[in-house]
């Protein structure tokens, strides 16, 4: 409710995305699905594209929600791929945001339709850029390489 009532408030969007991220675990996912927070999170990311805190918590919330198949499909229908790739390109020097984005993209890249959507959004180019921007021993690099492999190989799920 707060996110839709105060879409221009950075503080509301940041704290609400952070709360959803913290609440999203296997015991609360069903109750969260009934209120479908995906649309509110994506609106926050689209409305505040340059705010690091909104992007950090929004991408973290998408990462956590995308572990669940119901949320994964819902998020992809709501254009989560565009929001994540946009965040990755805008915040390409922020390793925390890159970690959440690449992990979320890995989760969302499950399934042929999702792979095709992400490839059409030029996710591979953005993943390659992320791979080059982080140290060799980095979660970002690992998630990006696994996601890239998944997107390029039609038989790899």
């Amino acid at each position: 409710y707060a996110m839709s009532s105060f879409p221009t408030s950075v503080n509301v969007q940041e704290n609400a995305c952070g709360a959803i991220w913290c609440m999203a675990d296997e015991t609360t996912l069903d109750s969260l699905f009934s209120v479908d927070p995906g649309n509110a999170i994506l609106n926050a990311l689209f409305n505040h594209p340059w705010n690091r805190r909104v992007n950090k918590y929004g991408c973290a919330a998408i990462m956590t929600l995308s572990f669940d198949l119901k949320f994964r499909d819902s998020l992809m229908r709501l254009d989560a791929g565009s929001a994540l790739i946009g965040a990755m390109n805008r915040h390409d020097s922020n390793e925390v945001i890159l970690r959440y984005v690449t992990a979320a993209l890995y989760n969302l890249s499950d399934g042929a339709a999702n792979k095709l959507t992400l490839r059409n959004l030029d996710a591979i180019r953005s993943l390659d850029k992320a791979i080059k921007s982080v140290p060799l021993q980095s979660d970002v690099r690992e998630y990006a390489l696994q996601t890239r492999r998944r997107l390029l190989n039609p038989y790899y799920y």
Side-chain angles (χ1 to χ4, degrees):
Y1 173 77
M3 292 179 86
S4 60
S5 296
F6 303 98
T8 60
S9 170
V10 170
N11 289 333
V12 169
Q13 301 304 309
E14 171 194 349
N15 288 309
C17 285
I20 293 168
W21 172 44
C22 292
M23 289 173 29
D25 64 23
E26 62 277 351
T27 61
T28 59
L29 281 175
D30 284 335
S31 60
L32 274 176
F33 192 75
S34 66
V35 296
D36 195 14
N39 200 33
I41 295 166
L42 292 170
N43 283 337
L45 291 174
F46 288 129
N47 289 333
H48 303 282
W50 292 100
N51 186 282
R52 285 189 305 258
R53 293 182 320 261
V54 171
N55 277 257
K56 172 185 165 184
Y57 292 119
C59 293
I62 291 173
M63 175 200 69
T64 304
L65 293 173
S66 65
F67 282 114
D68 187 272
L69 183 60
K70 291 182 289 194
F71 278 112
R72 189 177 309 144
D73 292 341
S74 172
L75 288 165
M76 285 301 288
R77 280 192 302 276
L78 294 169
D79 207 17
S82 290
L84 291 167
I85 291 166
M88 182 167 29
N89 292 331
R90 281 187 300 277
H91 301 280
D92 58 353
S93 63
N94 187 316
E95 196 168 344
V96 174
I97 291 174
L98 291 176
R99 182 181 324 121
Y100 294 135
V101 169
T102 54
L105 287 172
Y106 179 79
N107 294 342
L108 292 172
S109 66
D110 187 33
N114 290 355
K115 282 189 205 183
L116 180 61
T117 299
L118 292 172
R119 281 197 307 259
N120 288 339
L121 292 170
D122 214 8
I124 293 171
R125 183 184 318 237
S126 296
L127 290 165
D128 287 345
K129 187 177 169 188
I131 290 166
K132 293 174 185 171
S133 73
V134 295
L136 285 174
Q137 301 299 318
S138 166
D139 291 343
V140 172
R141 187 176 176 83
E142 188 62 33
Y143 282 124
L145 286 168
Q146 288 179 17
T147 305
R148 189 180 189 287
R149 184 178 318 123
R150 189 181 249 188
L151 291 174
L152 289 171
N153 185 341
Y155 305 107
Y156 181 74
Y157 291 93

